[in-house]
Amino acid sequence: MSIDIRINLNNELYIKDPQISKLGRNIIHKSIDMIYLAGFESFTFRKLAKEIQSTEASVYRYFKNKHMLLLYLVNWYWEWVGALIEINTLNIKDPKDKLGIIIQSFVSASNQNPVISYVDESKLHNIVIAEGTKSYHTIQVDKDNSKGLFKSYKNLVGMVSSVIKEVNPSFEYPNALASNLFEMANNHLFFSEHLPKLTNIKQKKNNEQEVERMLNYFVDKLLSCSV
Amino acid sequence: MSIDIRINLNNELYIKDPQISKLGRNIIHKSIDMIYLAGFESFTFRKLAKEIQSTEASVYRYFKNKHMLLLYLVNWYWEWVGALIEINTLNIKDPKDKLGIIIQSFVSASNQNPVISYVDESKLHNIVIAEGTKSYHTIQVDKDNSKGLFKSYKNLVGMVSSVIKEVNPSFEYPNALASNLFEMANNHLFFSEHLPKLTNIKQKKNNEQEVERMLNYFVDKLLSCSV
DNA sequence: GTAATTAGATAGTATTGCTATCATTTTTAA
DNA sequence: TTAAAAATGATAGCAATACTATCTAATTAC
């Protein structure tokens, strides 16, 4: 069983909301597959159109270009992880426990039961790991930012930051730690698979648990230490 | 005054060594300018050829494609930072002091006097900040890695890792911390300018010093804490 | 001074990244 | 229910990108 809830995304991300039509959902579904398999560079709207048996022109009616589609996908992920964290920390009182759940969500939220039938969260997480930073490493980052296209990420970081402040109000860099936990989770999952010398996570089935353990180890030292 | 020393780079990075000819050095010099100004996405060999008053075919005789040129540039940076750290820590005994110099080098090595006349280290650092991770976030990362195209980065991380182990032999993730310090330095310089909500570094003239202070703060807690 | 290397000039080709137009199908609203 | 509106499909086209190839001219090396 899967329930189709709606994820709320900045409408500057798309021309026409892909969530409300069959074709739109197809675009999302298949573009995740294709970017997951062959990477963002080789992905084109023409190839996508062919895969979903539609036309290039139709895809362009939903997204201005493939950069906007990538932004849509990563925003989707940011929103989704944020929502999961909200749900899973709802009854938790201890901020340290909250932070543990946050770390777990950053590393392996995609192992949760899927929320939306046409989005494969596990593949999407892999896209965020491999292509996520390309969403802001562009020449138009400031323009994109002023349109609110990174709001979901900033909200997520804001939320985590406030938990960090609960754990240790005197920690001086809560936002930096929050964004770094997110980036580190993704980086070290990537490194363990492709560039193992850049990490200490061994490439194994349980590298997710290892990354989770590492991030908790870092956080413990950073927040429970009076040095 | 500037002295032209030679940086030693894996010869898989290029077809013909750009360091040994006027045209080659011109390619490096001008491509740094252009990528710095307009970003890697809009950079093409045709535009570059026009700028240096040469031809596309000539540029292709040095580099297989623009991805290899980017790899060349980031390798150049990794080697250069590594060399600077070697020089500046040569007479330092205390590993904690060494780590301080490493952090300073990650953040602002480019403020040192330039080493090679046709490479603007400050612009190059900005390229590494904005485009560096694109060098390994590709579908061919494993192939590139097996050719040794990330060796300079891995060496750098290995070197920093051994200093970390000197400071605290029981720290469990020295390689991860080393690569994270490098990435964090770059990320937070970028965030402070473009996405300030993701960091606690204020956008000011002295954001480099602030990032340096932050990284030292993190390292202190991580390595001098028995929690 | 000749051979070898390097660079310039030019051309060509498949693919990318769009935009535009018109015809059809599907949806919606009176 | 039917006419209008909206969405999609079909097709075309075009400038730019990412190369490859070939031939000639200049430079350098022996």
Side-chain angles (χ1 to χ4, degrees):
Chain A
M1 186 210 66
S2 72
I3 315 153
D4 273 14
I5 55 164
R6 199 75 68 74
I7 297 264
N8 233 338
L9 293 169
N10 185 328
N11 60 21
E12 293 278 340
L13 287 164
Y14 47 79
I15 295 166
K16 190 187 302 185
D17 186 352
Q19 291 187 96
I20 59 169
S21 78
K22 188 102 202 288
L23 177 61
R25 290 186 295 268
N26 236 288
I27 288 171
I28 301 306
H29 177 76
K30 206 69 194 179
S31 62
I32 290 173
D33 272 1
M34 292 175 70
I35 297 172
Y36 170 76
L37 277 174
F40 185 63
E41 269 62 46
S42 83
F43 172 79
T44 74
F45 279 2
R46 195 165 294 187
K47 290 178 192 166
L48 171 64
K50 205 177 176 187
E51 281 282 322
I52 59 176
Q53 271 142 208
S54 177
T55 62
E56 219 181 336
S58 296
V59 177
Y60 275 103
R61 286 180 186 120
Y62 284 85
F63 292 101
K64 198 171 184 316
N65 51 49
K66 73 172 185 167
H67 175 241
M68 294 306 292
L69 174 53
L70 179 65
L71 265 170
Y72 183 92
L73 294 179
V74 299
N75 267 276
W76 204 101
Y77 182 81
W78 292 328
E79 277 297 318
W80 176 71
V81 171
L84 271 187
I85 290 171
E86 295 270 12
I87 293 166
N88 291 328
T89 58
L90 213 61
N91 312 309
I92 313 289
K93 290 273 145 8
D94 184 0
K96 283 192 188 182
D97 293 343
K98 279 193 206 170
L99 205 45
I101 287 168
I102 286 167
I103 286 171
Q104 195 184 43
S105 302
F106 282 175
V107 175
S108 48
S110 54
N111 295 342
Q112 298 240 178
N113 283 333
V115 187
I116 294 196
S117 58
Y118 57 93
V119 173
D120 183 324
E121 284 83 4
S122 168
K123 286 179 186 168
L124 182 57
H125 186 199
N126 270 287
I127 291 174
V128 171
I129 288 171
E131 325 283 1
T133 68
K134 293 173 191 169
S135 66
Y136 54 76
H137 283 144
T138 68
I139 203 77
Q140 75 264 30
V141 57
D142 297 328
K143 214 174 173 188
D144 285 352
N145 188 32
S146 70
K147 285 192 209 150
L149 305 189
F150 304 107
K151 195 147 178 294
S152 300
Y153 191 20
K154 294 190 279 188
N155 284 348
L156 184 57
V157 165
M159 185 176 107
V160 175
S161 173
S162 58
V163 175
I164 289 169
K165 280 181 242 167
E166 277 185 80
V167 175
N168 181 348
S170 67
F171 186 76
E172 293 189 38
Y173 304 97
N175 291 49
L177 176 55
S179 62
N180 191 236
L181 286 174
F182 185 89
E183 304 275 340
M184 230 182 144
N186 292 330
N187 269 334
H188 290 268
L189 289 169
F190 185 87
F191 291 158
S192 75
E193 218 177 305
H194 301 290
L195 296 162
K197 292 238 169 83
L198 303 184
T199 188
N200 304 91
I201 308 299
K202 301 278 163 274
Q203 194 207 2
K204 291 192 220 145
K205 299 244 161 47
N206 63 340
N207 60 352
E208 288 186 0
Q209 279 127 281
E210 277 197 57
V211 172
E212 193 183 331
R213 186 178 167 275
M214 176 175 78
L215 296 182
N216 280 307
Y217 180 92
F218 271 64
V219 159
D220 264 13
K221 295 198 181 276
L222 288 167
L223 299 184
S224 311
C225 182
S226 49
V227 169
Chain B
M1 187 210 64
S2 73
I3 315 152
D4 272 14
I5 55 164
R6 198 76 67 75
I7 296 265
N8 232 336
L9 293 170
N10 185 327
N11 61 20
E12 293 277 342
L13 286 164
Y14 47 78
I15 294 166
K16 189 187 303 185
D17 186 353
Q19 289 187 96
I20 59 169
S21 79
K22 188 102 202 288
L23 177 61
R25 291 187 293 270
N26 237 288
I27 288 171
I28 301 305
H29 177 77
K30 206 70 194 178
S31 62
I32 289 172
D33 272 1
M34 292 175 71
I35 297 172
Y36 170 77
L37 276 174
F40 184 63
E41 268 63 46
S42 84
F43 172 79
T44 74
F45 279 2
R46 192 165 298 186
K47 289 178 192 166
L48 171 64
K50 205 176 175 187
E51 282 282 322
I52 59 177
Q53 270 141 209
S54 177
T55 62
E56 219 180 336
S58 297
V59 178
Y60 275 102
R61 286 183 187 117
Y62 284 85
F63 293 101
K64 197 173 185 312
N65 51 49
K66 73 173 185 165
H67 175 241
M68 293 307 292
L69 174 54
L70 178 64
L71 265 169
Y72 183 92
L73 295 179
V74 298
N75 267 276
W76 204 101
Y77 182 81
W78 292 328
E79 277 298 318
W80 176 71
V81 171
L84 271 187
I85 290 171
E86 296 270 11
I87 294 166
N88 291 328
T89 58
L90 213 58
N91 312 310
I92 313 288
K93 288 273 145 8
D94 184 0
K96 281 193 189 183
D97 293 344
K98 279 193 205 170
L99 205 44
I101 288 167
I102 286 167
I103 286 171
Q104 195 183 43
S105 303
F106 282 174
V107 175
S108 49
S110 54
N111 294 343
Q112 298 241 177
N113 282 335
V115 186
I116 295 196
S117 59
Y118 57 92
V119 172
D120 184 324
E121 285 82 4
S122 167
K123 287 180 187 168
L124 182 56
H125 188 198
N126 270 288
I127 291 175
V128 170
I129 288 170
E131 326 282 1
T133 69
K134 293 173 190 168
S135 66
Y136 53 78
H137 282 144
T138 67
I139 202 78
Q140 74 265 31
V141 57
D142 296 328
K143 215 174 172 186
D144 286 352
N145 188 32
S146 70
K147 284 192 211 149
L149 306 188
F150 304 108
K151 194 147 178 296
S152 301
Y153 192 20
K154 292 190 279 188
N155 285 347
L156 184 57
V157 165
M159 184 177 106
V160 175
S161 172
S162 57
V163 175
I164 290 169
K165 280 182 241 167
E166 276 187 80
V167 175
N168 181 347
S170 67
F171 186 76
E172 294 188 38
Y173 304 98
N175 291 48
L177 177 55
S179 62
N180 191 237
L181 285 174
F182 185 89
E183 305 274 341
M184 230 182 143
N186 292 330
N187 270 334
H188 290 268
L189 289 169
F190 185 87
F191 291 159
S192 74
E193 219 177 305
H194 301 290
L195 296 162
K197 291 239 169 83
L198 304 183
T199 189
N200 304 93
I201 308 299
K202 300 280 163 273
Q203 194 207 1
K204 290 193 221 143
K205 298 241 161 47
N206 64 340
N207 61 352
E208 288 186 1
Q209 280 127 280
E210 276 198 57
V211 171
E212 194 183 331
R213 186 179 167 274
M214 176 175 78
L215 295 181
N216 280 306
Y217 180 92
F218 272 63
V219 159
D220 265 12
K221 294 196 181 276
L222 288 168
L223 298 184
S224 312
C225 181
S226 50
V227 168

